[in-house]
């Protein structure tokens, strides 16, 4: 789905930008991939275990690559999940799953800093 | 009977040997550059351009301007300077109105002319000229212009479209700056100027204003993509993608790319980013 080389380029470029620019680009990328690849995801309301999805995993991997050494972006994603300030995450459970999966790679983010 | 009519006086009319034509076609005297003038220096090129050259001479001048800078004392239109500014100004205010319509059809010379203007100085000069022409068009009493300013505006928009038609434009301009800039400070300033022109929306708003003026004057042409925000933002996104893909190898290029990324956000369209990413995938 995603060319690895392109995420490597973004991994180099994103940290060079100012804080608000990094957040804006990251949010725009997230919004776009959610719209393109998770647009047809059906949200099941039944209480069944959620099925694994290749698209969600791929997006989680990509987001993790982009924010793995970037505390700023991790904090921004945590507050987007908890404060509902990003429409792309509010409209799609699949998107929230991807972001959570990406953040879950770093134990500190999931347990230590996120408000309840 | 012959006595009735007596000759009083006799006059003879001298006729010119050839009848003079009733209407004369007046042609501007166009000079041909003498073959022995080698156009070795930028000053010679500027003088030749100023002297109302004919089509063939203009073609020769354009070939010199786009050739290897070593042949003209290391001069290049990419590097800002007084002579290059004068040459660019003459190209835009005289050569384009005189010859662009002819060059468009032939192809090769049109490409050379666009190549001469594909840099920050060229873009700046085109935008200044467009502003003047738009102001002229808006005046109720036209200033003493021999030609309709709307034709000039159409020509300049056409040239801008050709300068920006490629997704590799920004990449090419960055490479030109890296090659021709004389020191790192000049390199940074030239790139900064290009980024300011392209990412700040100046071109977008100016071309949109020009199209509006042309429509008011009754032109029925299709408006340029440069005046449409989404198309322009997509073009910018693709340019940034190719620029990053080919140049994210050293600190200097990374700093330049980061600058254009940052400035582009001020355009107000977040569409470029997805286009950027999508292209980077391919």
């Amino acid at each position: 789905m995603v060319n690895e080389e392109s995420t490597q380029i973004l991994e180099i470029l994103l940290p060079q930008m100012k804080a608000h620019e990094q957040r804006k680009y990251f949010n725009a990328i997230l919004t776009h991939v959610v719209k393109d690849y998770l647009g047809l995801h059906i949200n099941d309301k039944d209480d069944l275990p959620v099925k694994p999805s290749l698209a969600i995993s791929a997006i989680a991997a990509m987001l993790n690559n982009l924010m793995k050494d970037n505390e700023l972006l991790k904090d921004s994603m945590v507050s987007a999940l908890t404060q509902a300030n990003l429409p792309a995450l509010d409209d799609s459970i699949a998107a929230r799953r991807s972001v959570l999966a990406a953040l879950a790679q770093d134990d500190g983010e999931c347990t230590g800093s996120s408000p309840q | 009977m012959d006595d009735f009519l007596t000759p009083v006086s006799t006059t003879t009319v001298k006729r010119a040997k050839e009848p003079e034509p009733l209407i004369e076609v007046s042609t501007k005297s166009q000079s041909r550059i003498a073959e022995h003038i080698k156009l070795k220096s930028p000053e010679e090129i500027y003088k030749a351009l100023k002297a109302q050259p004919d089509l063939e001479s203009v073609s020769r001048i354009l070939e010199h301007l786009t050739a290897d800078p070593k042949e003209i004392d290391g001069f290049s239109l990419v590097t800002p300077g007084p002579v290059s500014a004068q040459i660019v100004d003459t190209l835009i205010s005289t050569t384009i109105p005189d010859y662009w319509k002819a060059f468009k059809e032939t192809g090769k010379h049109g490409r050379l002319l666009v190549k001469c203007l594909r840099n920050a100085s060229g873009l700046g000069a085109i935008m200044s000229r467009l502003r003047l022409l738009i102001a002229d068009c808006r005046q109720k009493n036209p200033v003493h212009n021999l030609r309709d300013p709307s034709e000039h505006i159409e020509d300049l928009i056409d040239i801008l479209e050709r300068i920006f038609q490629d997704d590799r434009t920004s990449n090419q301009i960055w490479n030109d700056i890296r090659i021709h800039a004389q020191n790192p400070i000049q390199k940074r300033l030239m790139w900064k100027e290009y980024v300011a022109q392209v990412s700040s929306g100046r071109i977008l708003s100016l071309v949109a204003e020009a199209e509006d003026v042309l429509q008011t004057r009754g032109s029925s042409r299709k408006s340029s993509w440069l005046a449409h925000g989404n198309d322009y933002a997509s073009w910018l996104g693709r340019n940034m993608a190719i620029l990053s893909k080919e140049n994210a190898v050293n600190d200097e290029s990374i700093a330049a790319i980061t600058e254009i990324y940052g400035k582009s956000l001020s355009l107000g369209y977040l569409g470029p980013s997805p286009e950027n990413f999508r292209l980077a995938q391919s």
Side-chain angles (χ1 to χ4, degrees), chain A residues 8-45:
Chain A
Q8 282 172 355
I9 294 170
L10 278 173
E11 280 170 53
I12 297 169
L13 292 174
L14 275 178
Q16 309 286 328
M17 295 186 218
K18 294 179 193 151
H20 75 279
E21 290 167 3
Q22 288 187 45
R23 279 194 288 267
K24 270 195 153 167
Y25 270 107
F26 193 80
N27 291 346
I29 290 169
L30 179 62
T31 308
H32 169 68
V33 294
V34 162
K35 195 172 79 169
D36 265 10
Y37 297 106
L38 297 180
L40 297 177
H41 236 263
I42 300 165
N43 296 324
D44 271 332
K45 287 184 188 168

Side-chain angles (χ1 to χ4, degrees), chain B:
Chain B
M1 284 287 277
D2 288 338
D3 297 336
F4 288 134
L5 290 173
T6 317
V8 174
S9 64
T10 313
T11 47
T12 51
V13 176
K14 284 186 189 163
R15 286 191 187 277
K17 286 188 181 162
E18 281 176 20
E20 287 170 8
L22 288 172
I23 301 169
E24 274 184 22
V25 176
S26 62
T27 47
K28 257 193 316 189
S29 59
Q30 289 179 328
S31 57
R32 176 176 280 256
I33 306 173
E35 291 296 331
H36 69 269
I37 295 180
K38 296 287 177 196
L39 298 174
K40 281 270 178 205
S41 76
E43 287 78 15
E44 278 178 20
I45 293 178
Y46 174 58
K47 270 188 214 149
L49 210 48
K50 267 296 240 195
Q52 294 186 340
D54 65 353
L55 187 64
E56 201 185 303
S57 308
V58 170
S59 312
R60 264 185 69 201
I61 294 170
L62 288 177
E63 279 166 8
H64 265 82
L65 283 172
T66 46
D68 190 355
K70 286 180 209 153
E71 293 181 23
I72 28 174
D73 293 344
F75 171 77
S76 164
L77 285 177
V78 176
T79 329
V83 184
S84 64
Q86 285 171 323
I87 291 176
V88 164
D89 190 55
T90 313
L91 281 174
I92 289 172
S93 46
T94 313
T95 314
I96 290 177
D98 287 345
Y99 291 115
W100 177 244
K101 294 211 169 15
F103 282 163
K104 255 199 319 195
E105 311 304 322
T106 51
K108 176 187 168 195
H109 298 115
R111 277 197 301 275
L112 290 179
L113 182 56
V114 166
K115 196 174 169 185
C116 289
L117 296 172
R118 190 180 280 132
N119 50 62
S121 334
L123 287 174
I126 291 178
M127 296 204 312
S128 308
R129 180 98 181 125
L130 256 182
R131 276 188 208 108
L132 273 171
L133 290 170
I134 290 171
D136 269 349
C137 277
R138 290 226 160 104
Q139 279 184 357
K140 287 183 185 166
N141 300 319
V143 190
H144 44 85
N145 281 325
L146 296 173
R147 274 177 279 205
D148 188 11
S150 23
E151 273 183 32
H152 294 208
I153 292 180
E154 286 183 16
D155 289 343
L156 285 176
I157 293 180
D158 199 16
I159 289 191
L160 276 176
E161 278 188 346
R162 292 201 189 201
I163 290 175
F164 291 128
Q165 82 180 27
D166 200 357
D167 292 342
R168 312 187 69 85
T169 303
S170 301
N171 190 36
Q172 196 190 323
I173 290 179
W174 171 240
N175 286 332
D176 284 343
I177 289 175
R178 271 188 28 229
I179 294 168
H180 295 292
Q182 285 155 2
N183 55 60
I185 295 175
Q186 194 182 56
K187 206 184 288 189
R188 240 190 0 253
L189 288 173
M190 283 159 66
W191 180 244
K192 219 178 171 86
E193 194 187 336
Y194 172 71
V195 165
Q197 283 164 347
V198 153
S199 335
S200 62
R202 274 182 226 170
I203 291 179
L204 178 60
S205 57
L206 197 60
V207 175
E209 201 181 342
E211 292 285 357
D212 183 53
V213 156
L214 288 176
Q215 277 198 358
T216 323
R217 287 194 143 212
S219 166
S220 58
R221 59 190 286 276
K222 190 175 156 219
S223 64
S224 163
W225 64 267
L226 285 168
H228 297 280
N230 282 325
D231 295 341
Y232 184 81
S234 299
W235 171 84
L236 186 59
R238 292 192 299 273
N239 264 259
M240 282 155 56
I242 291 183
L243 185 66
S244 351
K245 215 169 162 180
E246 308 217 346
N247 285 294
V249 289
N250 59 56
D251 287 342
E252 185 185 58
S253 297
I254 289 174
I257 296 168
T258 314
E259 200 175 336
I260 196 171
Y261 268 59
K263 264 285 188 182
S264 305
L265 286 174
S266 64
L267 200 57
Y269 290 87
L270 279 181
S273 174
E275 192 74 44
N276 187 349
F277 206 68
R278 192 195 286 279
L279 186 70
Q281 290 177 32
S282 56

Side-chain angles (χ1 to χ4, degrees), chain A residues 56-57 60 64 96-106:
Chain A
I56 293 178
S57 307
N64 184 48
R96 295 179 82 89
R97 281 172 65 189
S98 307
V99 174
L100 267 170
L103 284 171
Q105 304 302 313
D106 181 353

